[in-house]
Every structure is written in C-alpha cells, then in structure tokens.
C-alpha cells in the first residue's frame, strides 16, 4: 500500500476510522487555571527530593565550612550572598518546572461534539491518541509517565518529575543554568579554600576537624563537577533546541518539519516571553504563550 505524503513517524493513529469518538468517555471537568500540576511518580519524586537535598548540602558546606571561618569578611559576604541567591533561583526554577503544566492536551477530548466543533473541511485530518483518548495538536507527543499528550514535548525529566514542554521549558532552562552556575561557583571557592588551608594551619581554616573538612570539600567537589558537566550539556542542548525550534523527540524521530520556520531570536522570545527583559532570568515571571487555536489540531 502506498503511504500518504503526510506520513510521519509518531505515536498516533493515522486512519480516520480509528478515531471512534463514540468509544471515548466525556472529558473530565476542566480543572481550575490556578490548580497545581504535580506528577505522582515515585522515581520522579525521589529524584526531586535528592536534587533539593544536594543543593542544601552545597549551601551548608559553602556557608559553614568555607565562608564563616574565613578571615576576610567582605569575601564571605559577597560570595555568600551570590551563592545563596543563585541557589534560591535554582530551587525556585526547579519548583516551577516541576509544578507547571507543561502543555497537557485535555484528556478525553476525542468526543463527537469536540470533533464537530473543529468544523473540518474536506481533506483535513485530525489525529487521536489511543492512549489518553485525546485529539492531538500538531507536534504533541504522549508521555507514558505523565499519561498525557504534551504539546511540544521535549523529553520527560525525572529530576524535575515532569515533562519539559511548551509551557515549562523556560523554567527547565533556568534550572539547568542556575545549577551550572552554583556548581562552578562552588568549585572555584573549594579551590581557593584548599589553597588557603595548605598555606596555613588546617585547624584555623574551618570550624570542623581537618578530616571532616576534607571529606565535606571532596564530596562537594565531586557533586559540583558532576552537576556542572550534566547541567551545562543540558542547558546547551535546550538552547539549541529552542533556537532551531525542534524538540528532542522530533530530532530523535527525525520528524518531517511542517511548522513555520522562524528566526532564532523569535524562537527564544516564544519560549521566554515578549519582549526581552530581566524577566527572562526570573523563575517567577510566566511567559505569555497565548491560547491554543483549533487550527493546531488540524493537519
């Protein structure tokens, strides 16, 4: 059988006969817009807790092992304030990435009434996800962990216990950026602290015993180096994905590009908000993504 030119490698039903709207239960009551999004996945919750614990551990070592015993008060104040601010922004970004709806398609909307409301013209096609009984917008993919179709889904990240999609990609990018920055900052301060301790008495460079100080600093070095590499790579891949306007799944599946090509700067503004401002760096500023139109469901 000859394949249609619109054939794409996606986890969708490709024949109109499979829509079967009469087999779909009415969609659940639409949740309030202020309702918190949270995925009840044991692995994701554990990874999220570990992330917060590691950041708090780094904060403890930086403040109580390295900065408080330092003789230079100005050095301690500047580095303490900078590290604590970056750590706070990292955790805030993590919380927003974890508790923000990534762009979930309404579950069970593949009903006869909804399909009729699209007012399809002859030759137009819509796709139904057989797993969550939803009419899928273009560029949406089903997540087996979230059990929902996610608009512009990039990947599911257990460290934020959520999918990275259309509505929370900004927060995930900020999370990786701030974690990379505090990791680099911690490594630099550990290097200076080791130099200071080697040049002076180890008993005077920390309120902890020399063996405990060395163990705490070595673990912080290992943590900082590991997360610096990991988050820097993730940050780079996410920025590249945004600039090229192609998600990780679309790159992996080599899907045919059917959407309008924009400039790299416009793609950045779509994710981080219009216009460019300091709010791009704030996890508390929610970018305006606009409202979903019906044409997104029609291919």
């Amino acid at each position: 059988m000859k394949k249609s030119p619109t054939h794409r490698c996606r986890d969708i039903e490709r024949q109109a006969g499979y829509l079967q709207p009469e087999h779909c239960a009415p969609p659940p009551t639409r949740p309030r817009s202020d309702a918190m999004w949270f995925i009840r996945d044991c692995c994701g919750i554990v990874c999220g807790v570990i992330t917060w614990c590691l950041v708090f551990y780094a904060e403890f070592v930086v403040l109580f092992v390295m900065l408080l015993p330092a003789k230079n008060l100005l050095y301690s104040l500047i580095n303490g304030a900078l590290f604590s601010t970056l750590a706070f922004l990292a955790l805030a970004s993590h919380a927003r990435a974890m508790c923000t709806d990534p762009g979930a398609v309404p579950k069970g909307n593949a009903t006869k009434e909804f399909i009729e409301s699209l007012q399809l013209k002859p030759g137009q096609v819509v796709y139904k996800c057989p797993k969550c009984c939803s009419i899928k917008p273009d560029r949406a993919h089903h997540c087996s962990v979230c059990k929902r179709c996610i608009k512009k889904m990039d990947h599911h990240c257990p460290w934020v216990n959520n999918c990275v999609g259309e509505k929370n990609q900004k927060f995930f990018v900020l999370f990786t950026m701030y974690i990379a920055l505090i990791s680099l900052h911690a490594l630099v301060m550990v290097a200076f602290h080791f130099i200071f301790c080697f040049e002076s008495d180890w008993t005077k460079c920390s309120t902890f015993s020399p063996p405990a100080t060395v163990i705490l600093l070595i673990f912080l070095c290992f943590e900082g180096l590991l997360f610096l590499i990991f988050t820097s790579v993730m940050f780079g891949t996410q920025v590249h994905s945004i600039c090229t306007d192609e998600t990780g799944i679309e790159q992996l599946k080599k899907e045919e590009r059917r959407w309008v090509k924009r400039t790299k700067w416009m793609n950045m503004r779509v994710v981080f908000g219009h216009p460019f401002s300091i709010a791009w760096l704030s996890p508390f500023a929610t970018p305006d993504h606009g409202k979903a139109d019906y044409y997104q469901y029609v291919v």
Side-chain angles (χ1 to χ4, degrees):
M1 181 183 293
K2 187 177 179 181
K3 292 184 179 179
S4 168
T6 60
H7 170 78
R8 288 173 294 162
C9 180
R10 291 178 56 175
D11 53 338
I12 53 179
E13 298 289 358
R14 295 178 175 81
Q15 299 182 31
Y18 281 109
L19 283 177
Q20 298 177 330
E22 66 276 3
H23 292 173
C24 290
T29 305
R30 191 177 185 85
R32 304 192 316 272
S33 58
D34 59 346
M36 186 180 73
W37 172 275
F38 187 78
I39 301 300
R40 294 174 177 83
D41 176 58
C42 293
C43 177
I45 293 173
V46 170
C47 289
V49 171
I50 291 176
T51 300
W52 279 64
C53 290
L54 290 174
V55 173
F56 282 130
Y57 170 80
E59 182 80 14
F60 167 78
V61 175
V62 167
L63 293 181
F64 294 97
V65 178
M66 292 191 290
L67 295 182
L68 286 181
K71 296 180 180 180
N72 191 326
L73 180 61
L74 184 61
Y75 171 84
S76 298
L77 288 176
I78 294 177
N79 283 282
L82 178 60
F83 188 88
S84 298
T85 300
L86 292 176
F88 172 75
L89 291 173
L91 292 179
S93 300
H94 182 273
R96 290 301 305 273
M98 180 171 58
C99 299
T100 298
D101 180 353
V105 178
K107 197 171 185 178
N109 70 347
T111 60
K112 183 178 180 181
E113 293 76 13
F114 181 77
I115 295 174
E116 289 177 349
S117 70
L118 297 179
Q119 298 179 349
L120 300 177
K121 298 178 181 178
Q124 289 183 324
V125 180
V126 292
Y127 294 118
K128 169 197 166 184
C129 175
K131 300 173 184 176
C132 60
C133 209
S134 300
I135 297 297
K136 301 179 69 169
D138 197 24
R139 304 185 69 184
H141 293 84
H142 186 86
C143 174
S144 59
V145 180
C146 297
K147 295 179 175 57
R148 298 286 292 275
C149 286
I150 308 296
K151 299 175 186 175
K152 288 186 68 177
M153 175 182 168
D154 187 87
H155 68 287
H156 183 92
C157 179
W159 293 104
V160 297
N161 188 34
N162 201 0
C163 277
V164 178
E166 183 180 69
K167 295 184 179 179
N168 70 340
Q169 189 173 25
K170 170 193 173 180
F171 306 125
F172 181 76
V173 173
L174 292 181
F175 167 66
T176 58
M177 182 184 74
Y178 287 127
I179 289 294
L181 289 176
I182 65 173
S183 299
L184 178 62
H185 191 196
L187 289 173
V188 171
M189 285 190 290
V190 168
F192 277 111
H193 198 72
F194 266 120
I195 294 174
F196 170 73
C197 289
F198 277 125
E199 293 179 349
S200 62
D201 188 357
W202 273 86
T203 58
K204 296 181 180 180
C205 69
S206 176
T207 55
F208 295 84
S209 64
T213 301
V214 172
I215 292 174
L216 290 171
L217 292 180
I218 289 178
F219 187 79
L220 180 61
C221 274
F222 176 77
E223 175 193 345
L225 185 61
L226 182 66
F227 277 91
L228 174 61
I229 296 173
F230 177 72
T231 54
S232 296
V233 171
M234 287 301 301
F235 176 77
T237 56
Q238 285 296 301
V239 172
H240 177 265
S241 176
I242 293 172
C243 290
T244 58
D245 192 21
E246 190 174 23
T247 66
I249 291 182
E250 291 166 348
Q251 293 175 16
L252 184 65
K253 292 186 174 183
K254 298 180 180 180
E255 294 186 0
E256 177 187 353
R257 190 182 186 98
R258 300 172 55 86
W259 51 94
V260 178
K261 187 175 182 179
R262 296 184 293 252
T263 63
K264 295 179 180 179
W265 181 245
M266 179 57 70
N267 291 331
M268 292 289 290
R269 290 169 60 181
V270 168
V271 173
F272 288 91
H274 302 265
F276 172 76
S277 67
I278 193 65
W280 279 28
L281 302 177
S282 172
F284 303 103
T286 302
D288 182 16
H289 297 288
K291 297 181 179 180
D293 296 319
Y294 284 151
Y295 74 85
Q296 293 180 316
Y297 294 89
V298 180
V299 180

